[in-house]
Amino acid sequence: MIVAVTGGKGGVGKSTVALNLGAELGGVVVDADLAMADLPRSHGPDLHDVLAGRADAIEAVSSVGDVLMLPCGRTLAGARACDVTEFADAIARVASEYDHVVIDCPAGMAADAGLPLVAADSYVLVTIPRPFALADAVRTKALARRLDAGLCRVVLNRVREDPPVETVERTLGAPVTTLPESTTIADAQRNGCPVATLAPESEAREQFSELGRAVYSCRS
């Protein structure tokens, strides 16, 4: 199963969700933000190298802490050298060796934001309980619909009291998993690890586990 994790503009916690979902599924997390990579990286080959023809996608998968990852480079020269038409084949290559692949999509509505949606079997849409973020999520869903990507789950991130779950479900047309405003999640993010590693008994871990179960049930 290949699942993309996407959102509208940056800052909604998309990369955090992708990292933790990959940990819960025991899959490979692919950092697909070719220009502004945000996930932890290794010292070996990365997605820039794969898309430039310098490395095989399987060779570029490595353990970063407790998570298998295909990281992305962080240089402008590396991004410019990428042949983005090879992206879907690279993801398919990884999926041929691993049961689950989670793609962290670029933020926004640029052309490269659609690449993971084309390659994925389904996607998770991340937003926060703010009107501007929900509007961005609606636009992202419209892009995904044009690319024939199926929405599996919505993640309403950084919620406090009385999150607008029913409104979000009605607006986006998919079940919602809520994630609390949490120092545990923030600490795990700063340490570049999933919540399951830092606080396996926490409320936040249970919410990520529930998300993993929900996404797993969406597999075709």
Side-chain angles (χ1 to χ4, degrees):
M1 177 178 68
I2 304 171
V3 57
V5 178
T6 189
K9 295 178 182 177
V12 297
K14 174 180 53 60
S15 296
T16 298
V17 170
L19 180 67
N20 282 276
L21 179 58
E24 294 298 333
L25 292 174
V28 176
V29 180
V30 179
D31 190 341
D33 196 337
L34 302 180
M36 298 183 66
D38 192 42
L39 289 171
R41 60 164 303 170
S42 66
H43 297 293
D46 55 40
L47 187 59
H48 281 174
D49 296 313
V50 173
L51 298 183
R54 297 189 295 263
D56 178 77
I58 300 300
E59 295 173 353
V61 174
S62 60
S63 295
V64 180
D66 293 332
V67 182
L68 286 172
M69 190 170 296
L70 200 174
C72 191
R74 286 168 163 74
T75 68
L76 183 58
R80 287 174 172 168
C82 292
D83 179 357
V84 296
T85 65
E86 296 296 322
F87 181 82
D89 286 344
I91 297 301
R93 174 92 171 100
V94 176
S96 71
E97 296 290 330
Y98 297 93
D99 290 337
H100 300 98
V101 179
V102 177
I103 310 173
D104 181 26
C105 298
M109 302 291 286
D112 60 348
L115 290 173
L117 294 170
V118 172
D121 300 315
S122 60
Y123 73 101
V124 171
L125 183 54
V126 183
T127 188
I128 58 176
R130 303 287 186 276
F132 74 88
L134 188 57
D136 287 337
V138 169
R139 286 190 286 270
T140 301
K141 183 181 178 182
L143 170 64
R145 185 185 297 116
R146 292 197 296 272
L147 298 172
D148 293 324
L151 178 57
C152 174
R153 198 79 172 183
V154 174
V155 173
L156 188 59
N157 195 21
R158 299 175 187 156
V159 301
R160 297 182 180 176
E161 294 182 358
D162 300 320
V165 172
E166 291 184 3
T167 299
V168 174
E169 287 183 340
R170 184 171 60 251
T171 301
L172 295 175
V176 170
T177 294
T178 60
L179 291 174
E181 183 78 56
S182 168
T183 56
T184 301
I185 295 176
D187 289 344
Q189 183 180 11
R190 279 193 296 271
N191 284 279
C193 67
V195 171
T197 299
L198 188 69
E201 304 299 323
S202 63
E203 177 189 356
R205 165 67 194 288
E206 177 52 37
Q207 294 301 94
F208 280 123
S209 295
E210 190 275 333
L211 176 62
R213 292 190 293 268
V215 170
Y216 183 79
S217 71
C218 287
R219 72 193 188 283
S220 55

